[in-house]
Amino acid sequence: MNKNLLIISFLFAASINGFAQNFESAAKAEHKVNPSVKVTLSGKITDASTGEVLPGASIYFIDDKIGAIADGSGKYVINNIPNGHHVVEVSHAGYSTLVEHLELNINTEKDFALSTIVVENQGVIVTGVSGATSIRKTPVPVTAIRRTALLQTPSTNIIDALSHVPGVSQLSTGPAISKPFIRGLGYNRVVLINDGIRQEGQQWGDEHGTEIDEMSVVKAEVLKGPASLMYGSDALAGVVNLITNIPVAEGTLKGNILTNYQSNNGLIGTNASIAGNKNGINWNLYGTYKSAGDYQNKYDGKVLNSRFNEKNFGGYVGINKSWGYSHLIFSRFDQRVGLVEGDRDDATGKFILFAGSPLERIATDADLDSRKLFVPQQRVQHNKLALDNNFAIKKSRLKLNLGYQNNQRQEFGNPEDPSEKELFFDLSTINYSLQWQLPEMKEWHTTIGVNGMSQNNKNKGAEVLIPEYNLFDVGVFVYAQRFFKKGTLSGGFRYDNRSVDAEGFSEGGDIKFVPFTRSFSNVSGSVGISYEPVETVTIKANIARGFRAPTLAELASNGAHEGTNRYEYGTQDLKSETSLQLDGGIDLNYEHFSVSLAAFYNRMNDFIFYRKLESAFGGDSLVNVDGEDIQAFQFNQNNAKLSGLEFSFDIHPHPLDWLHFQNSFSFVRGRFDNKIDGSKDGSDNLPLIPAPRWNSELRADFKKAGKALRNLYARLELSRTFEQANHFTGYDTETATAGYTLLNAGFGSEVISKKKTLFSIYVGVTNITDAAYQNHLSRLKYAAQNMVTGRNGVFNTGRNFSIKLNIPLEFSIK
């Protein structure tokens, strides 16, 4: 760390004592309570319109990770609650989520009444804030996706499941590999959080997906906009927060079995979990197995080597008491996935196995029907161990998160020696986060924190793409919220420093990487307001500055990447990307309809992108690797701007509360300030900008359907993705993408007996008409041309039927 960072760290540490003492004194004067008191909250949860009790309704304290389930008479009890300010979430299937702020200093009885009018995207979130906050009180757009919604959505990975959220897209390489894009930005511009720990797994690579078990996720939160204030470098576009471990209610033992079958690629998935809680000692354990063959569509038939399999497990063990909680979290993700090359035989148009090698041949029907992975393929193993602590200290809270994760990514590309690891990245990361939530003073909730990570990357493969390196990252921040009667003011500032030490490397006597050291510093901040003039209207505005330091691949890559079919050159003098984004929005929630509009303008300096290199003799620059010519790309920078909006309109006419007609539209436009030098047509469009999209869904939800069915739903969806003609044409990097329309449907229900759920079933079908299409962010769009049909690339998935069966198990611990 440099001298400035040491000085700032010293001042930060020295200021905590005095700052906290002032807050503590003020808090004691305002709240004269005994901090050792153990608080109990109890009451009843009912239907707001009928007064009927709601057995099975959930009440949960997000920050404390404690909660309860209402019994047969609608009553609940939660013990060992730390005294002070809390945000509580009350929810039940078929009802709107209720969020309340409670000040608990003594044992309290409180009843809750839930409305049957379901208001979309309500509840409590923890993403982009220092403590649990109502979605309505956050100044930036945040979408919460619960497990029920995830179960109702046919998908092959967790990012695929979230790509239906307006403003969220996926960069895909077949069904198994998806990277999140938020408002036109992805890769290291989106931070992925899993159970409080920032996920690090070589996310700079096109074919490097998300190493998180889809079937274990119980809730997802998507923040759209810069979040560098809380997360530092890389949270420039937004954050995807995936939660897999939530403690079950005290005195219960719960299990769950989830299975999924999909017809298009024969995917078979099974997840089993069991969790318990007795006297505050709580735990969870889950395991998942997935296997899929090649996906298919009506133009390509079965797409050779798009198969994959996964074997994952994880869980946690912890303790929750009146002083807070401490949880030890562990997980292992183990995925093997084939990499689609898309090479074809010129005469027949059929896919070719082992193209460019002595073993090259046309793939047979047996090859296409098999689930055996061919080269090229990759294996991704991600192991994680984290300690999540939250301590209640008088009227303040101390949060300490420590994590260790190891990501091993092996790529195999030699048909004559399938076991040879052409590329082997071994990345180890230590994450740390310390936050002190100071005592509330006159409705101000202030947090001081420091977080960051330390990384070490080793190359263990036969070939080397990026140098080995060490990275250290640290950021200090102050975040504050002020609650008013009709509004909430949020904001803060942050200082970051990231230092990188890259090692030199020689290959065959030639220098491939020269050693270098770079340091990147930045000041980030944001300020925003959420205003609720009346109960049915919420107005939001926010301005935020974000930043992202260049990755090692952008700074120093020099080699062929098997999964991308590119030869990549880094640029060592790249600067950090910075952005200044303005967000504004309005939400209207009435008895018969709801409307939401969110718009943004993002001004980016030194936007980093890769472009094709042009040969001095014209045409593409090619590098010969093992007898094969590969296109060369290099990273470059230019100032840019992005703007766009997300709009939704939901009609739910009273008294037909069971009927919903939901519509959403998302649009983003990205342009460079200047036309790219050397571009044949003077292109100024940003690469990888998703096409505009309109979704319309007609949906019916019934809380009860006879004696045997509960929470019955049926849905019919029309999804229109428009043409993307504003593509990055510089050096023929991108091509235009035609628009397409997909028709999807689904239905499902809980099957009950004696008021208990025996199982739930979720049936879905996507692309009912079996339309042939290519998504603009599908990397397979740029595979080789089929010389027989004249079509370029590989098309996306055709018609697919999905069925999920979820079997809950519950026992009482005496």
Side-chain angles (χ1 to χ4, degrees):
M1 293 183 292
N2 59 33
K3 187 183 296 183
N4 291 333
L5 180 60
L6 291 174
I7 294 173
I8 289 174
S9 299
F10 174 76
L11 293 175
F12 170 77
S15 66
I16 287 180
N17 185 45
F19 195 25
Q21 285 180 359
N22 291 335
F23 266 79
E24 193 73 33
S25 298
K28 287 181 178 179
E30 189 173 350
H31 306 287
K32 294 182 179 180
V33 298
N34 182 356
S36 64
V37 171
K38 298 179 181 179
V39 179
T40 295
L41 179 68
S42 60
K44 183 183 293 186
I45 305 175
T46 59
D47 185 306
S49 58
T50 66
E52 293 182 3
V53 298
L54 296 178
S58 168
I59 178 169
Y60 192 63
F61 289 71
I62 306 292
D63 272 339
D64 304 285
K65 294 190 176 180
I66 55 176
I69 303 295
D71 62 18
S73 59
K75 294 181 179 179
Y76 72 90
V77 178
I78 304 176
N79 299 309
N80 291 327
I81 304 172
N83 64 56
H85 182 86
H86 299 273
V87 180
V88 61
E89 180 182 77
V90 187
S91 61
H92 192 50
Y95 291 82
S96 292
T97 299
L98 179 66
V99 179
E100 288 203 19
H101 288 249
L102 301 178
E103 194 70 34
L104 299 177
N105 300 310
I106 59 174
N107 292 343
T108 304
E109 289 189 12
K110 185 170 179 60
D111 297 336
F112 298 96
L114 299 182
S115 170
T116 56
I117 301 174
V118 178
V119 179
E120 298 299 320
N121 201 32
Q122 297 296 303
V124 177
I125 53 94
V126 296
T127 307
V129 291
S130 61
T133 303
S134 167
I135 291 178
R136 293 189 67 179
K137 297 184 182 298
T138 59
V140 294
V142 181
T143 301
I145 304 95
R146 300 179 183 276
R147 183 167 176 81
T148 300
L150 294 173
L151 289 173
Q152 293 177 4
T153 304
S155 58
T156 53
N157 62 73
I158 186 59
I159 303 304
D160 183 32
L162 300 180
S163 63
H164 304 280
V165 175
V168 179
S169 307
Q170 60 174 323
L171 178 74
S172 64
T173 310
I177 303 173
S178 295
K179 303 177 70 64
F181 267 59
I182 298 178
R183 290 176 163 178
L185 299 175
Y187 296 96
N188 285 65
R189 301 180 183 97
V190 174
V191 164
L192 182 67
I193 305 294
N194 181 218
D195 287 330
I197 296 296
R198 172 174 169 156
Q199 189 89 354
E200 288 292 321
Q202 311 282 8
Q203 57 266 34
W204 48 265
D206 281 347
E207 80 293 4
H208 299 171
T210 301
E211 312 90 350
I212 293 176
D213 177 34
E214 174 201 13
M215 300 183 79
S216 68
V217 175
V218 297
K219 184 181 179 182
E221 297 176 1
V222 179
L223 183 152
K224 292 176 277 190
S228 294
L229 170 60
M230 297 301 298
Y231 302 103
S233 176
D234 301 359
L236 193 144
V239 179
V240 176
N241 186 4
L242 303 175
I243 301 168
T244 59
N245 291 293
I246 294 180
V248 297
E250 169 67 31
T252 60
L253 178 66
K254 287 188 174 183
N256 198 82
I257 299 173
L258 172 64
T259 62
N260 180 212
Y261 171 76
Q262 297 186 26
S263 64
N264 187 279
N265 60 357
L267 182 146
I268 300 171
T270 302
N271 171 273
S273 64
I274 186 167
N277 191 338
K278 179 64 174 176
N279 297 327
I281 305 297
N282 49 90
W283 52 274
N284 178 46
L285 182 66
Y286 68 83
T288 296
Y289 173 77
K290 270 187 182 181
S291 174
D294 292 338
Y295 83 89
Q296 54 190 308
N297 60 65
K298 70 178 184 181
Y299 281 173
D300 300 309
K302 289 190 175 181
V303 178
L304 180 66
N305 211 29
S306 57
R307 58 203 69 177
F308 66 95
N309 61 73
E310 294 178 14
K311 298 175 183 177
N312 313 321
F313 70 86
Y316 84 98
V317 61
I319 182 171
N320 289 62
K321 294 293 184 180
S322 60
W323 48 261
Y325 67 82
S326 181
H327 294 168
L328 181 65
I329 304 168
F330 58 91
S331 65
R332 176 179 174 84
F333 179 91
D334 190 350
Q335 180 192 63
R336 298 174 186 264
V337 56
L339 299 175
V340 177
E341 290 187 303
D343 293 308
R344 303 172 191 264
D345 177 60
D346 289 348
T348 64
K350 294 183 177 181
F351 287 111
I352 293 176
L353 261 178
F354 315 130
S357 78
L359 301 178
E360 178 180 313
R361 62 180 175 83
I362 296 176
T364 65
D365 289 342
D367 293 329
L368 293 168
D369 292 337
S370 172
R371 296 193 180 217
K372 174 186 175 182
L373 270 66
F374 298 112
V375 294
Q377 61 170 283
Q378 67 176 354
R379 183 181 186 185
V380 182
Q381 296 167 290
H382 194 97
N383 302 303
K384 183 164 55 183
L385 189 66
L387 187 62
D388 181 15
N389 302 284
N390 189 324
F391 305 109
I393 305 174
K394 296 184 179 181
K395 301 297 294 182
S396 64
R397 285 178 180 269
L398 186 68
K399 297 182 178 181
L400 175 63
N401 282 14
L402 297 172
Y404 170 78
Q405 49 189 319
N406 177 249
N407 183 278
Q408 296 187 350
R409 189 175 299 273
Q410 306 169 52
E411 298 187 6
F412 306 87
N414 185 355
E416 297 178 83
D417 184 5
S419 64
E420 180 188 63
K421 302 177 181 65
E422 287 197 346
L423 291 175
F424 187 172
F425 305 105
D426 189 348
L427 178 67
S428 295
T429 304
I430 296 175
N431 303 86
Y432 63 91
S433 175
L434 179 65
Q435 295 185 22
W436 191 354
Q437 293 181 353
L438 300 173
E440 177 191 340
M441 186 177 71
K442 297 180 179 180
E443 297 298 325
W444 279 99
H445 297 258
T446 304
T447 298
I448 301 175
V450 56
N451 57 25
M453 63 182 177
S454 175
Q455 282 188 341
N456 172 263
N457 185 73
K458 296 293 185 184
N459 292 316
K460 298 181 177 180
E463 300 175 4
V464 177
L465 177 61
I466 61 173
E468 296 186 343
Y469 68 89
N470 291 293
L471 178 151
F472 183 76
D473 181 283
V474 63
V476 294
F477 67 89
V478 176
Y479 178 84
Q481 287 179 308
R482 172 64 164 91
F483 295 101
F484 300 92
K485 184 177 181 180
K486 292 188 176 182
T488 305
L489 179 67
S490 306
F493 61 89
R494 177 188 181 104
Y495 175 82
D496 280 279
N497 179 268
R498 172 173 289 186
S499 58
V500 179
D501 291 311
E503 300 179 11
F505 179 77
S506 296
E507 188 175 62
D510 297 325
I511 296 177
K512 187 165 188 175
F513 302 115
V514 296
F516 68 91
T517 299
R518 291 290 307 272
S519 180
F520 305 92
S521 299
N522 188 76
V523 175
S524 305
S526 73
V527 61
I529 188 169
S530 176
Y531 177 55
E532 303 170 54
V534 293
E535 186 178 355
T536 56
V537 178
T538 305
I539 301 172
K540 299 184 178 186
N542 192 76
I543 181 171
R545 174 183 164 87
F547 100 104
R548 181 181 77 89
T551 67
L552 258 292
E554 293 164 340
L555 291 170
S557 59
N558 183 5
H561 208 171
E562 182 65 48
T564 63
N565 294 315
R566 290 200 310 261
Y567 195 99
E568 300 175 353
Y569 291 103
T571 305
Q572 279 194 24
D573 59 355
L574 293 176
K575 303 175 182 177
S576 291
E577 293 180 340
T578 59
S579 72
L580 185 66
Q581 180 162 316
L582 301 175
D583 279 278
I586 183 170
D587 297 324
L588 307 175
N589 292 298
Y590 295 101
E591 184 178 17
H592 302 290
F593 68 92
S594 58
V595 179
S596 177
L597 175 65
F600 70 94
Y601 176 82
N602 187 1
R603 175 66 185 172
M604 295 193 62
N605 292 324
D606 300 310
F607 178 86
I608 301 173
F609 64 101
Y610 63 78
R611 61 178 178 85
K612 285 183 182 179
L613 290 179
E614 190 175 40
S615 170
F617 304 101
D620 294 333
S621 176
L622 302 176
V623 179
N624 187 275
V625 179
D626 298 329
E628 181 182 0
D629 288 335
I630 300 178
Q631 292 177 337
F633 290 75
Q634 186 169 30
F635 291 96
N636 202 353
Q637 286 187 295
N638 207 320
N639 294 338
K641 50 188 174 290
L642 297 97
S643 58
L645 59 86
E646 294 98 38
F647 170 78
S648 64
F649 179 49
D650 180 12
I651 302 174
H652 39 80
H654 186 72
L656 303 178
D657 299 327
W658 53 268
L659 180 64
H660 286 257
F661 183 46
Q662 301 170 344
N663 301 272
S664 66
F665 175 72
S666 55
F667 167 82
V668 60
R669 181 77 165 97
R671 304 181 71 175
F672 291 111
D673 281 6
N674 305 304
K675 297 183 186 299
I676 303 304
D677 293 338
S679 176
K680 297 175 183 177
D681 60 355
S683 176
D684 62 355
N685 296 315
L686 259 63
L688 298 174
I689 297 296
R693 185 177 64 192
W694 177 279
N695 275 20
S696 290
E697 179 183 273
L698 187 64
R699 182 183 181 92
D701 289 284
F702 303 94
K703 289 185 297 179
K704 296 180 181 179
K707 295 182 179 180
L709 300 180
R710 183 169 59 191
N711 296 321
L712 173 70
Y713 76 92
R715 52 183 289 268
L716 180 65
E717 179 191 56
L718 186 71
S719 178
R720 172 62 182 175
T721 299
F722 295 90
E723 177 190 16
Q724 179 53 287
N726 297 317
H727 52 289
F728 178 54
T729 58
Y731 300 98
D732 296 324
T733 301
E734 288 186 345
T735 59
T737 306
Y740 55 90
T741 301
L742 301 181
L743 184 65
N744 311 311
F747 67 89
S749 177
E750 294 179 31
V751 178
I752 61 174
S753 176
K754 297 179 181 179
K755 296 184 178 181
K756 289 189 176 181
T757 301
L758 299 179
F759 62 88
S760 301
I761 188 169
Y762 307 89
V763 178
V765 54
T766 55
N767 195 2
I768 294 175
T769 62
D770 200 26
Y773 71 98
Q774 291 176 321
N775 186 281
H776 188 66
L777 297 190
S778 170
R779 293 183 53 252
L780 300 185
K781 175 175 179 279
Y782 298 101
Q785 184 183 34
N786 186 330
M787 301 303 293
V788 174
T789 65
R791 302 187 187 103
N792 289 314
V794 174
F795 284 71
N796 285 72
T797 305
R799 183 187 298 114
N800 181 38
F801 292 91
S802 170
I803 182 168
K804 297 178 183 178
L805 186 67
N806 191 65
I807 305 173
L809 306 171
E810 183 172 355
F811 310 93
S812 178
I813 303 176
K814 297 182 179 179

